[in-house]
């Protein structure tokens, strides 16, 4: 972590695989997202967009805010 930005050691395809496996066994994946230093670098933003596209394309996915989550509980 030379730049002060935490980087993921796994390729994004591994995260997709983990999420798929978790879903297949009846589990739930939660992504808490907020801006980080370096997120908007061209390489990072592309991976982030891919990740959000993957999540939003799942018909079982739920993209929400903390306030909406609390209202559902």
């Amino acid at each position: 972590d030379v730049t002060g930005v935490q980087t993921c050691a796994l390729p994004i395809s591994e995260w997709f695989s983990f999420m798929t496996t978790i879903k297949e066994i009846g589990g739930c994946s939660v992504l808490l997202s907020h801006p980080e230093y370096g997120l908007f670098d061209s390489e990072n933003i592309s991976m982030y967009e891919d990740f959000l596209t993957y999540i939003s394309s799942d018909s079982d996915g739920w993209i929400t805010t903390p306030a909406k989550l609390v209202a559902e509980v």
Side-chain angles (χ1 to χ4, degrees):
D1 188 2
V2 176
T3 63
V5 177
Q6 292 181 350
T7 57
C8 178
L10 297 173
I12 197 165
S13 60
E14 289 293 320
W15 287 105
F16 295 159
S17 178
F18 288 148
M19 292 176 71
T20 300
T21 300
I22 290 168
K23 180 180 175 181
E24 287 172 354
I25 61 173
C28 174
S29 299
V30 176
L31 168 68
L32 173 59
S33 176
H34 54 85
E36 291 287 343
Y37 175 79
L39 174 63
F40 299 105
D41 294 346
S42 60
E43 180 180 331
N44 294 338
I45 196 69
S46 176
M47 286 188 294
Y48 185 67
E49 288 172 342
D50 290 346
F51 200 73
L52 293 179
T53 298
Y54 174 80
I55 293 169
S56 65
S57 68
D58 186 336
S59 62
D60 289 329
W62 181 31
I63 298 175
T64 190
T65 64
K68 290 179 183 177
L69 177 62
V70 169
E72 290 291 322
V73 176

